[in-house]
């Protein structure tokens, strides 16, 4: 994310976004997608870009917390299988 909008290094960011786009689509999170699309743009100023990066990191943390909660809910419902 630090390479977003950073001249030639932004290609690294753009390639990474391209690779994870299908996974991001599975999250079905339009706000997260909007933030990512904004970061892909080269025409935003440095202050706006930093604000978007901050939002990106916060949103990633919320997604991770949500997924961890889902995992806990799923595993809590599992009944351990005893070895014979």
């Amino acid at each position: 994310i630090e390479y977003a909008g950073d001249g030639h290094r932004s290609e690294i960011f753009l390639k990474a976004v391209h690779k994870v786009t299908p996974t991001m689509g599975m999250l079905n999170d339009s706000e997260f997608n909007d933030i990512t699309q904004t970061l892909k743009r080269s025409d935003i100023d440095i202050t706006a870009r930093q604000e978007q990066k901050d939002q990106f990191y916060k949103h990633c943390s919320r997604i991770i917390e949500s997924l961890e909660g889902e995992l806990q809910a799923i595993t809590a419902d599992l009944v351990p299988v005893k070895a014979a």
Side-chain angles (χ1 to χ4, degrees):
I1 190 75
E2 292 305 318
Y3 292 161
D6 186 10
H8 72 279
R9 294 191 321 170
S10 67
E11 287 182 36
I12 296 168
F13 172 74
L14 295 174
K15 286 180 182 180
V17 169
H18 177 73
K19 295 282 185 183
V20 300
T21 296
T23 303
M24 289 174 25
M26 285 186 254
L27 293 173
N28 196 27
D29 187 327
S30 61
E31 184 181 358
F32 186 66
N33 288 336
D34 290 346
I35 292 167
T36 305
Q37 291 303 315
T38 301
L39 286 170
K40 287 171 59 174
R41 294 178 31 208
S42 61
D43 63 339
I44 61 174
D45 66 50
I46 195 162
T47 302
R49 183 170 305 283
Q50 188 58 52
E51 289 172 1
Q52 289 298 302
K53 286 179 182 181
D54 293 343
Q55 288 300 315
F56 180 86
Y57 289 127
K58 288 177 186 174
H59 213 79
C60 284
S61 294
R62 287 194 297 261
I63 290 170
I64 291 168
E65 288 173 11
S66 175
L67 292 173
E68 287 173 340
E70 289 289 326
L71 180 61
Q72 288 177 356
I74 291 168
T75 57
D77 291 340
L78 296 176
V79 177
V81 178
K82 295 185 179 183

